[in-house]
Amino acid sequence: MSPTASPDTPRRPVGQVTFLGAGPGDPGLLTLRAVEVLASADVLVSDPLTAAAVRAHCPAQVEVHPAADDGDAFVLDEGGVLGGDGGAAVSRFFGAVRGGKHVVRTVDGDPGLDGRAAEEMLACAQAHVPFQVVPGVAQSVGVPAYAGVPLRAGAQGADVRFVDANGLLPESAWADLGACESTLVVRTVLGSVPSTASALVNHGRKPETPVSVTLEGTTTRQRTWCGTLGTIAAELKSAKVLPSPVSAPVNPASNVIVVVGEQVEHRSSLSWFETKPLFGWNVLVPRTKDQAGALSEQLRGYGAVPSEVPTIAVEPPRTPQQMERAIKGLVTGRYEWIAFTSVNAVKAVREKFEEYGLDARAFAGIKVAAVGETTAQALVDFGVKPDLVPSGEQSAAGLLEDWPPYDPVFDPIDRVLLPRADIATETLVAGLVELGWEVDDVTAYRTVRAAPPPAETREAIKGGGFDAVIFTSSSTVRNLVGIAGKPHNVTVIACIGPATAKTAEEHGLRVDVLAPAPSVHALAEALAEFGAARRDAALEAGEPVYRPSERRPGSRRKAR
């Protein structure tokens, strides 16, 4: 009998290595193809800068390894094992590939231009290990773009040269770079910038040639300094970012991207990233954890770094029988209306529906009201289109203004279901009763104070480490002060409405920003306008632009 497997015999899966460019630092610069590939990773080997960003797109069970700390490539030894100076952590990668696993090796930037990925690809090719390449945004391309330095502008700057000066360049290389007129994009470390500038001048470049130096490019910690080849060393010392005999505020070994050439002069007009209204601001978002996402995303769009700190935990009611009767009443036609006053109320009813095997079809024949756009969207996500959303103020009072009075001719049922929190105000209930409706006020969930945040977060709150705090309700004010202490007086306080602002003032806080409308979108927009006005005022006065946390005055000025 032949030992050859029959056509029906399952073939052993064939693994491979994917070399994937993760971009220069901004998680939003991951390509669609990169996200798709990461979702199929069995083993992840990641460079440090983008490790967290790529991990977020991998399966929960992925095996994670850091790339070699010293930057050495992992290589295949004579026995066919991926190892090298990176150590034992990578010694089983080849075995994983032979076992059918997908090893994804992510590179900060682009595999063909950044790091040591090319050597690793050659090692795989020599050992006949299947691999593929997913390009990414190279650091030498992405960082100048975020710094507002176009590498080409029409005919000017048509010749661009990319230089890796982290290694020791021979004298002939410096002579070539000094003699040419190309725009240079140089990868180096902060401490080497003065010597790089001197080498270019010594080999023929004009001292007045414009230069930009960008640290931590494409992240919200990005900083860019400009000067000329003759002045850039003095500029960095004046900015106190180069080490001195007394202190070294920035690690001189930090990687930077240096652009040399006339293109740098465009930065004054094209600096779009570092001029965002809240660029680099650390903003505390004290909210229910599962409700902070949209607000945090909007803040990131303004250049801020949001920190979500739960101050309220949502728990089921102590006695579930009331909600059980309410859901039964919905199905049996007890109610004409159901009114949702929060996303949590929608979530509580939805969870009960799922518990009983129901879906959005159970709302058939029932009118649905939502207190505002956010709650309405939660209903739409559930498959329910609200019949009533306030046309004016998005609050209980606004909902009452549009709510129709009970009419026994047109309303066969006079009862409204109101599922809400255990500590909700009576405004809506009283208003509906006044309009002639009977109200079943049901506790759908309880709000309790969350556990205190970590000690470092509490210290940052009380010590002025945050530039702003956003309060979206009176309870977030009370709970944050209760679990973490009162924010420092340099911290900008932003409140969603007058009631929240009043609570903040009662706790000794000075409100700087008040949203023009009671929505988180309007609140974030108002904070951005405040930050922009603050920045413009500093520039008009010829002063440096500081974040609130970078100053420690005795008191804060009022909002503009």
Side-chain angles (χ1 to χ4, degrees):
M1 183 176 180
S2 171
T4 304
S6 69
D8 296 329
T9 303
R11 299 184 65 181
R12 187 172 184 175
V14 177
Q16 70 174 350
V17 178
T18 297
F19 294 95
L20 184 148
D26 182 350
L29 293 180
L30 274 173
T31 65
L32 292 174
R33 175 60 177 156
V35 171
E36 180 183 81
V37 168
L38 288 166
S40 66
D42 297 306
V43 180
L44 176 67
V45 187
S46 54
D47 278 356
L49 182 62
T50 53
V54 296
R55 176 65 182 87
H57 297 284
C58 293
Q61 68 274 14
V62 70
E63 184 180 334
V64 180
H65 299 276
D69 292 337
D70 55 8
D72 284 332
F74 68 84
V75 296
L76 287 162
D77 62 23
E78 293 181 357
V81 177
L82 281 169
D85 293 338
V90 293
S91 63
R92 58 182 178 275
F93 293 160
F94 184 53
V97 174
R98 298 190 75 175
K101 290 188 176 181
H102 184 193
V103 177
V104 178
R105 167 71 164 100
T106 66
V107 176
D108 293 340
D110 175 75
L113 197 59
D114 300 305
R116 301 285 298 278
E119 297 175 31
E120 299 171 9
M121 294 177 207
L122 287 171
C124 288
Q126 291 167 4
H128 305 291
V129 173
F131 71 91
Q132 64 175 345
V133 179
V134 176
V137 178
Q139 293 176 344
S140 297
V141 174
V143 172
Y146 271 55
V149 180
L151 301 183
R152 294 185 62 183
Q156 189 180 25
D159 186 12
V160 182
R161 300 182 65 172
F162 298 97
V163 183
D164 189 346
N166 282 323
L168 185 62
L169 290 179
E171 191 72 13
S172 58
W174 285 117
D176 183 35
L177 295 172
C180 73
E181 297 183 358
S182 305
T183 297
L184 303 182
V185 184
V186 185
R187 287 166 47 92
T188 186
V189 296
L190 183 61
S192 296
V193 171
S195 60
T196 297
S198 296
L200 289 171
V201 172
N202 292 338
H203 289 88
R205 284 273 177 158
K206 296 177 180 178
E208 59 270 22
T209 304
V211 177
S212 67
V213 178
T214 302
L215 176 73
E216 298 191 81
T218 78
T219 74
T220 49
R221 300 176 301 278
Q222 175 177 306
R223 283 184 283 174
T224 301
W225 299 272
C226 293
T228 67
L229 287 175
T231 66
I232 192 61
E235 293 284 349
L236 294 175
K237 289 179 181 177
S238 175
K240 299 181 180 179
V241 293
L242 281 180
S244 68
V246 179
S247 64
V250 179
N251 185 351
S254 300
N255 290 315
V256 293
I257 297 294
V258 179
V259 181
V260 180
E262 301 302 322
Q263 298 298 98
V264 174
E265 293 182 343
H266 292 292
R267 173 175 158 79
S268 59
S269 301
L270 302 181
S271 179
W272 62 274
F273 186 54
E274 292 171 64
T275 55
K276 287 190 173 186
L278 299 177
F279 183 78
W281 282 40
N282 293 307
V283 180
L284 187 69
V285 184
R287 304 194 67 203
T288 306
K289 184 66 176 177
D290 59 358
Q291 293 181 348
L295 176 56
S296 293
E297 190 61 32
Q298 187 177 354
L299 291 170
R300 288 189 190 96
Y302 294 129
V305 185
S307 295
E308 300 171 3
V309 176
T311 59
I312 300 172
V314 176
E315 297 183 357
R318 288 191 175 91
T319 55
Q321 291 82 3
Q322 193 180 29
M323 267 291 283
E324 290 170 358
R325 288 195 298 269
I327 299 301
K328 182 179 179 181
L330 275 174
V331 177
T332 58
R334 175 178 171 82
Y335 302 106
E336 181 77 9
W337 282 90
I338 180 171
F340 291 96
T341 58
S342 70
V343 172
N344 286 323
V346 176
K347 182 179 179 183
V349 171
R350 184 171 184 171
E351 288 175 349
K352 274 296 180 184
F353 270 36
E354 292 171 352
E355 182 180 330
Y356 296 137
L358 301 171
D359 57 28
R361 290 173 292 183
F363 285 105
I366 301 172
K367 298 185 182 75
V368 180
V371 77
E373 293 176 1
T374 305
T375 304
Q377 184 59 51
L379 283 166
V380 171
D381 294 342
F382 185 21
V384 180
K385 183 179 179 180
D387 299 280
L388 177 62
V389 180
S391 58
E393 180 181 331
Q394 296 187 14
S395 64
L399 189 60
L400 284 171
E401 287 183 6
D402 292 343
W403 197 289
Y406 171 67
D407 188 330
V409 175
F410 296 101
D411 299 314
I413 304 169
D414 66 351
R415 193 168 297 274
V416 177
L417 174 60
L418 183 58
R420 57 186 190 145
D422 57 334
I423 59 172
T425 64
E426 299 302 315
T427 303
L428 187 54
V429 174
L432 290 172
V433 170
E434 189 174 334
L435 289 170
W437 295 94
E438 294 287 334
V439 181
D440 280 1
D441 187 7
V442 176
T443 299
Y445 60 95
R446 292 184 300 123
T447 55
V448 299
R449 183 175 290 177
E456 58 268 24
T457 302
R458 299 197 301 271
E459 288 303 314
I461 292 171
K462 292 182 288 187
F466 286 100
D467 298 291
V469 178
I470 280 189
F471 289 117
T472 57
S473 67
S474 293
S475 58
T476 58
V477 177
R478 291 189 292 267
N479 289 338
L480 180 71
V481 173
I483 66 176
K486 190 167 69 173
H488 192 278
N489 65 350
V490 301
T491 306
V492 173
I493 304 298
C495 295
I496 198 169
T500 303
K502 182 180 179 182
T503 303
E505 290 167 351
E506 289 172 351
H507 283 77
L509 301 176
R510 187 176 179 179
V511 178
D512 297 288
V513 179
L514 187 64
S519 73
V520 293
H521 173 78
L523 179 56
E525 193 173 66
L527 179 61
E529 290 175 356
F530 176 89
R534 192 175 183 277
R535 178 187 181 88
D536 291 344
L539 293 174
E540 289 173 10
E543 299 175 354
V545 179
Y546 290 107
R547 301 197 313 271
S549 63
E550 293 176 318
R551 314 191 82 167
R552 297 290 189 275
S555 61
R556 292 180 285 108
R557 59 178 175 78
K558 292 184 179 180
R560 293 179 178 274

Coordinates of all heavy atoms in Angstrom, one line a residue, residues 320-382:
P320 N -35.5 42.8 41.5 CA -35.8 42.8 40.1 C -37.3 42.6 39.7 O -37.7 42.8 38.6 CB -35.0 41.6 39.6 CG -35.0 40.6 40.7 CD -34.9 41.5 42.0
Q321 N -38.1 42.3 40.7 CA -39.5 42.0 40.4 C -40.2 43.2 39.7 O -41.1 43.0 38.8 CB -40.3 41.6 41.6 CG -39.9 40.3 42.2 CD -38.6 40.4 43.1 OE1 -38.1 41.5 43.3 NE2 -38.2 39.3 43.6
Q322 N -39.9 44.4 40.1 CA -40.6 45.6 39.5 C -40.3 45.7 38.0 O -41.2 45.9 37.2 CB -40.1 46.9 40.2 CG -40.9 48.1 39.9 CD -40.4 49.3 40.6 OE1 -39.2 49.4 40.9 NE2 -41.3 50.2 41.0
M323 N -39.0 45.5 37.6 CA -38.7 45.5 36.2 C -39.3 44.3 35.4 O -39.7 44.5 34.3 CB -37.1 45.5 36.0 CG -36.5 46.8 35.9 SD -36.9 47.7 34.4 CE -35.9 46.9 33.2
E324 N -39.4 43.2 36.1 CA -40.0 42.0 35.4 C -41.5 42.3 35.1 O -41.9 41.9 34.0 CB -39.8 40.8 36.3 CG -38.4 40.3 36.4 CD -38.2 39.3 37.5 OE1 -39.2 38.9 38.2 OE2 -37.0 38.8 37.7
R325 N -42.2 42.9 36.1 CA -43.6 43.2 35.8 C -43.7 44.3 34.7 O -44.6 44.2 33.9 CB -44.2 43.7 37.1 CG -44.5 42.7 38.2 CD -45.4 43.2 39.3 NE -44.9 44.3 40.0 CZ -44.1 44.2 41.1 NH1 -43.9 43.0 41.6 NH2 -43.7 45.3 41.7
A326 N -42.8 45.2 34.7 CA -42.8 46.3 33.7 C -42.6 45.7 32.3 O -43.3 46.0 31.3 CB -41.8 47.3 33.9
I327 N -41.7 44.8 32.1 CA -41.5 44.1 30.8 C -42.7 43.3 30.4 O -43.1 43.3 29.2 CB -40.2 43.3 30.9 CG1 -39.0 44.1 31.2 CG2 -40.0 42.5 29.5 CD1 -38.7 45.2 30.2
K328 N -43.3 42.6 31.3 CA -44.5 41.9 31.0 C -45.6 42.8 30.6 O -46.3 42.5 29.6 CB -44.9 41.1 32.3 CG -46.2 40.2 32.0 CD -46.6 39.5 33.3 CE -47.8 38.6 33.0 NZ -48.2 37.9 34.2
G329 N -45.7 44.0 31.2 CA -46.7 45.0 30.9 C -46.5 45.5 29.5 O -47.4 45.8 28.7
L330 N -45.2 45.7 29.1 CA -44.9 46.1 27.7 C -45.4 45.1 26.7 O -46.0 45.5 25.7 CB -43.4 46.3 27.5 CG -42.7 47.6 27.9 CD1 -41.2 47.4 27.8 CD2 -43.2 48.7 27.1
V331 N -45.3 43.9 27.0 CA -45.7 42.8 26.0 C -47.2 42.7 26.0 O -47.8 42.4 24.9 CB -45.0 41.5 26.4 CG1 -45.5 40.4 25.4 CG2 -43.5 41.6 26.3
T332 N -47.8 42.9 27.1 CA -49.3 42.6 27.2 C -50.1 43.9 26.9 O -51.4 43.8 26.9 CB -49.7 42.1 28.6 OG1 -49.2 43.1 29.6 CG2 -49.0 40.8 28.8
G333 N -49.5 45.0 26.5 CA -50.2 46.2 26.1 C -50.7 47.1 27.3 O -51.7 47.8 27.1
R334 N -50.0 47.1 28.3 CA -50.3 47.9 29.5 C -50.0 49.4 29.3 O -50.6 50.3 29.9 CB -49.6 47.4 30.7 CG -49.8 48.2 32.0 CD -49.0 47.6 33.2 NE -49.0 48.5 34.3 CZ -50.0 48.6 35.2 NH1 -51.1 47.9 35.1 NH2 -50.0 49.4 36.3
Y335 N -49.0 49.7 28.4 CA -48.5 51.1 28.3 C -48.8 51.7 26.9 O -48.8 51.0 25.9 CB -47.0 51.1 28.5 CG -46.7 50.6 29.9 CD1 -46.1 49.3 30.0 CD2 -46.9 51.3 31.0 CE1 -45.7 48.8 31.3 CE2 -46.6 50.8 32.3 CZ -46.0 49.6 32.4 OH -45.7 49.1 33.7
E336 N -49.1 53.0 26.9 CA -49.2 53.7 25.6 C -47.8 54.3 25.2 O -47.5 54.4 24.1 CB -50.1 54.9 25.8 CG -50.4 55.8 24.6 CD -51.3 55.1 23.6 OE1 -51.9 54.1 23.9 OE2 -51.4 55.7 22.5
W337 N -47.0 54.7 26.3 CA -45.7 55.2 26.0 C -44.6 54.5 26.9 O -45.0 54.0 28.0 CB -45.6 56.7 26.4 CG -46.2 57.7 25.4 CD1 -47.6 58.1 25.4 CD2 -45.6 58.4 24.4 NE1 -47.7 59.0 24.4 CE2 -46.5 59.2 23.7 CE3 -44.2 58.4 23.9 CZ2 -46.2 60.0 22.7 CZ3 -43.9 59.2 22.9 CH2 -44.9 60.0 22.2
I338 N -43.4 54.6 26.5 CA -42.2 54.3 27.3 C -41.2 55.4 27.1 O -41.0 55.8 25.9 CB -41.6 52.9 27.0 CG1 -40.4 52.7 27.9 CG2 -41.2 52.7 25.6 CD1 -39.8 51.2 27.9
A339 N -40.7 56.0 28.2 CA -39.8 57.1 28.1 C -38.4 56.7 28.6 O -38.3 56.2 29.7 CB -40.3 58.3 28.8
F340 N -37.4 56.9 27.8 CA -36.0 56.6 28.2 C -35.3 57.9 28.5 O -35.2 58.8 27.6 CB -35.3 55.8 27.1 CG -35.8 54.4 26.9 CD1 -36.8 54.2 25.9 CD2 -35.4 53.4 27.7 CE1 -37.2 52.9 25.7 CE2 -35.8 52.1 27.5 CZ -36.8 51.8 26.5
T341 N -34.7 58.0 29.7 CA -34.0 59.2 30.1 C -32.5 59.1 30.1 O -31.8 60.0 30.4 CB -34.5 59.7 31.5 OG1 -34.2 58.6 32.4 CG2 -36.0 60.0 31.5
S342 N -32.0 57.9 29.7 CA -30.5 57.7 29.6 C -30.2 56.5 28.8 O -31.0 55.7 28.6 CB -30.0 57.6 31.1 OG -30.4 56.3 31.6
V343 N -28.9 56.4 28.4 CA -28.4 55.3 27.7 C -28.5 54.0 28.6 O -28.8 52.9 28.2 CB -27.0 55.5 27.2 CG1 -26.4 54.2 26.7 CG2 -26.9 56.6 26.2
N344 N -28.2 54.2 29.9 CA -28.3 53.1 30.9 C -29.7 52.5 31.0 O -29.8 51.3 31.2 CB -27.8 53.6 32.3 CG -26.3 53.8 32.3 OD1 -25.6 53.1 31.7 ND2 -25.9 54.8 33.0
A345 N -30.7 53.4 30.9 CA -32.1 52.9 30.9 C -32.3 52.0 29.7 O -33.0 50.9 29.8 CB -33.1 54.0 30.9
V346 N -31.9 52.4 28.5 CA -32.0 51.6 27.3 C -31.3 50.3 27.5 O -31.8 49.2 27.1 CB -31.4 52.3 26.1 CG1 -31.5 51.5 24.8 CG2 -32.2 53.7 25.8
K347 N -30.1 50.3 28.0 CA -29.3 49.1 28.2 C -30.0 48.2 29.2 O -30.0 46.9 29.0 CB -27.9 49.5 28.8 CG -27.0 48.3 29.0 CD -25.6 48.7 29.5 CE -24.7 47.5 29.7 NZ -23.4 48.0 30.3
A348 N -30.6 48.7 30.3 CA -31.3 47.9 31.3 C -32.5 47.1 30.6 O -32.7 45.9 30.9 CB -31.7 48.7 32.4
V349 N -33.3 47.9 29.9 CA -34.4 47.2 29.2 C -34.0 46.2 28.2 O -34.6 45.1 28.1 CB -35.3 48.3 28.6 CG1 -36.4 47.7 27.7 CG2 -36.0 49.2 29.7
R350 N -33.0 46.6 27.4 CA -32.5 45.7 26.4 C -32.0 44.3 27.0 O -32.3 43.3 26.5 CB -31.3 46.3 25.6 CG -30.8 45.5 24.4 CD -29.9 46.3 23.6 NE -29.4 45.6 22.4 CZ -28.7 46.1 21.4 NH1 -28.4 47.4 21.4 NH2 -28.4 45.3 20.4
E351 N -31.3 44.5 28.1 CA -30.8 43.2 28.8 C -31.9 42.4 29.3 O -31.9 41.1 29.2 CB -29.8 43.6 29.9 CG -28.5 44.2 29.5 CD -27.6 44.7 30.6 OE1 -28.1 44.8 31.8 OE2 -26.4 44.9 30.4
K352 N -33.0 43.0 29.8 CA -34.2 42.2 30.2 C -34.8 41.6 29.0 O -35.3 40.4 29.1 CB -35.1 43.2 30.9 CG -34.9 43.4 32.4 CD -35.0 42.1 33.2 CE -34.7 42.2 34.7 NZ -34.8 40.9 35.4
F353 N -34.9 42.3 27.9 CA -35.5 41.7 26.7 C -34.7 40.4 26.3 O -35.3 39.4 26.0 CB -35.5 42.7 25.6 CG -36.7 43.6 25.5 CD1 -37.3 44.0 26.6 CD2 -37.2 44.0 24.3 CE1 -38.5 44.8 26.5 CE2 -38.3 44.8 24.1 CZ -38.9 45.2 25.3
E354 N -33.4 40.6 26.3 CA -32.6 39.4 25.9 C -32.7 38.3 26.9 O -32.7 37.1 26.5 CB -31.1 39.9 25.8 CG -30.9 40.9 24.6 CD -29.5 41.5 24.6 OE1 -28.8 41.3 25.6 OE2 -29.2 42.2 23.6
E355 N -32.9 38.6 28.1 CA -33.1 37.6 29.2 C -34.3 36.7 28.9 O -34.3 35.5 29.1 CB -33.1 38.2 30.5 CG -33.2 37.3 31.7 CD -33.3 38.0 33.0 OE1 -32.7 39.1 33.2 OE2 -33.9 37.4 34.0
Y356 N -35.4 37.4 28.4 CA -36.6 36.7 28.1 C -36.8 36.3 26.7 O -37.9 35.9 26.3 CB -37.8 37.6 28.5 CG -37.9 38.0 30.0 CD1 -38.1 39.3 30.4 CD2 -37.7 37.0 30.9 CE1 -38.2 39.6 31.8 CE2 -37.7 37.3 32.3 CZ -38.0 38.6 32.7 OH -38.0 38.9 34.0
G357 N -35.7 36.5 25.9 CA -35.8 36.0 24.5 C -36.6 37.0 23.6 O -37.1 36.6 22.5
L358 N -36.7 38.3 24.0 CA -37.4 39.3 23.3 C -36.4 40.1 22.4 O -35.3 40.1 22.7 CB -38.2 40.2 24.2 CG -39.3 39.5 25.1 CD1 -39.9 40.5 26.1 CD2 -40.4 38.9 24.2
D359 N -37.0 40.8 21.5 CA -36.2 41.8 20.7 C -37.0 43.1 20.5 O -38.0 43.3 21.1 CB -35.7 41.2 19.4 CG -36.8 40.7 18.5 OD1 -37.9 41.2 18.6 OD2 -36.5 39.8 17.7
A360 N -36.5 43.9 19.6 CA -37.1 45.2 19.4 C -38.6 45.1 18.9 O -39.4 46.1 19.1 CB -36.3 46.1 18.4
R361 N -39.0 44.0 18.4 CA -40.4 43.8 17.9 C -41.4 43.9 19.0 O -42.6 44.2 18.8 CB -40.5 42.5 17.2 CG -39.8 42.5 15.8 CD -39.8 41.1 15.2 NE -39.0 40.1 15.9 CZ -38.8 38.9 15.6 NH1 -39.4 38.4 14.5 NH2 -38.1 38.1 16.3
A362 N -40.9 43.7 20.3 CA -41.8 43.8 21.4 C -42.3 45.2 21.6 O -43.3 45.4 22.4 CB -41.1 43.3 22.7
F363 N -41.7 46.2 21.0 CA -42.1 47.6 21.1 C -43.3 48.0 20.1 O -43.7 49.1 20.1 CB -41.0 48.6 20.9 CG -40.0 48.7 22.0 CD1 -38.8 48.1 21.9 CD2 -40.3 49.4 23.1 CE1 -37.8 48.1 22.9 CE2 -39.4 49.5 24.2 CZ -38.2 48.8 24.1
A364 N -43.7 47.0 19.4 CA -44.7 47.3 18.4 C -46.0 47.8 19.1 O -46.5 47.2 20.1 CB -45.1 46.0 17.6
G365 N -46.5 48.9 18.5 CA -47.7 49.5 19.1 C -47.5 50.4 20.3 O -48.5 51.0 20.8
I366 N -46.3 50.6 20.7 CA -46.0 51.4 21.9 C -45.2 52.6 21.4 O -44.2 52.5 20.6 CB -45.1 50.7 22.9 CG1 -45.9 49.4 23.4 CG2 -44.7 51.6 24.1 CD1 -45.0 48.5 24.3
K367 N -45.6 53.8 21.8 CA -44.8 55.0 21.5 C -43.6 55.1 22.3 O -43.6 54.8 23.6 CB -45.7 56.3 21.6 CG -46.9 56.3 20.7 CD -47.7 57.6 20.9 CE -48.9 57.7 20.1 NZ -50.0 56.8 20.7
V368 N -42.5 55.5 21.7 CA -41.2 55.5 22.4 C -40.6 57.0 22.4 O -40.6 57.6 21.4 CB -40.1 54.6 21.8 CG1 -38.8 54.6 22.5 CG2 -40.7 53.2 21.7
A369 N -40.2 57.4 23.6 CA -39.6 58.8 23.8 C -38.2 58.6 24.3 O -37.9 57.7 25.1 CB -40.5 59.6 24.7
A370 N -37.3 59.5 23.8 CA -35.9 59.6 24.3 C -35.6 61.0 24.7 O -36.0 62.0 24.0 CB -35.0 59.1 23.2
V371 N -34.8 61.1 25.8 CA -34.6 62.5 26.4 C -33.6 63.3 25.5 O -33.6 64.5 25.7 CB -34.1 62.3 27.8 CG1 -32.6 61.9 27.8 CG2 -34.3 63.6 28.6
G372 N -32.8 62.6 24.7 CA -31.9 63.4 23.9 C -31.3 62.5 22.8 O -31.6 61.3 22.6
E373 N -30.4 63.1 22.0 CA -29.8 62.4 20.8 C -29.0 61.2 21.2 O -29.1 60.2 20.5 CB -29.0 63.4 20.1 CG -29.8 64.6 19.4 CD -28.9 65.6 18.8 OE1 -27.6 65.4 18.8 OE2 -29.4 66.6 18.2
T374 N -28.3 61.3 22.3 CA -27.4 60.1 22.7 C -28.3 58.9 23.0 O -28.0 57.8 22.6 CB -26.5 60.5 23.8 OG1 -25.7 61.6 23.5 CG2 -25.6 59.3 24.2
T375 N -29.3 59.2 23.8 CA -30.3 58.1 24.2 C -31.0 57.6 23.0 O -31.2 56.4 22.8 CB -31.3 58.6 25.3 OG1 -30.5 59.1 26.4 CG2 -32.2 57.5 25.7
A376 N -31.4 58.5 22.1 CA -32.1 58.1 20.8 C -31.2 57.2 20.0 O -31.7 56.2 19.4 CB -32.5 59.4 20.0
Q377 N -29.9 57.5 19.9 CA -29.0 56.7 19.1 C -28.9 55.3 19.7 O -28.8 54.3 19.0 CB -27.6 57.3 19.1 CG -26.6 56.6 18.2 CD -27.1 56.4 16.7 OE1 -27.5 57.4 16.1 NE2 -27.1 55.2 16.2
A378 N -28.9 55.2 21.1 CA -28.8 53.9 21.7 C -30.1 53.0 21.4 O -30.0 51.8 21.2 CB -28.7 54.1 23.2
L379 N -31.2 53.7 21.3 CA -32.4 53.0 20.8 C -32.4 52.6 19.4 O -32.7 51.4 19.1 CB -33.7 53.9 21.0 CG -34.1 54.1 22.5 CD1 -35.1 55.3 22.6 CD2 -34.8 52.8 23.0
V380 N -31.8 53.4 18.5 CA -31.7 53.1 17.1 C -30.8 51.9 17.0 O -31.0 50.9 16.2 CB -31.1 54.3 16.3 CG1 -30.8 53.8 14.9 CG2 -32.2 55.4 16.3
D381 N -29.7 51.8 17.8 CA -28.8 50.7 17.8 C -29.5 49.4 18.2 O -29.1 48.3 17.8 CB -27.6 51.0 18.7 CG -26.7 52.1 18.2 OD1 -26.8 52.4 17.0 OD2 -25.9 52.7 19.0
F382 N -30.5 49.6 19.0 CA -31.3 48.4 19.5 C -32.3 48.0 18.4 O -32.9 46.9 18.5 CB -32.0 48.8 20.8 CG -32.8 47.7 21.5 CD1 -32.5 46.4 21.2 CD2 -33.7 48.0 22.4 CE1 -33.2 45.4 21.9 CE2 -34.5 47.0 23.0 CZ -34.2 45.7 22.8

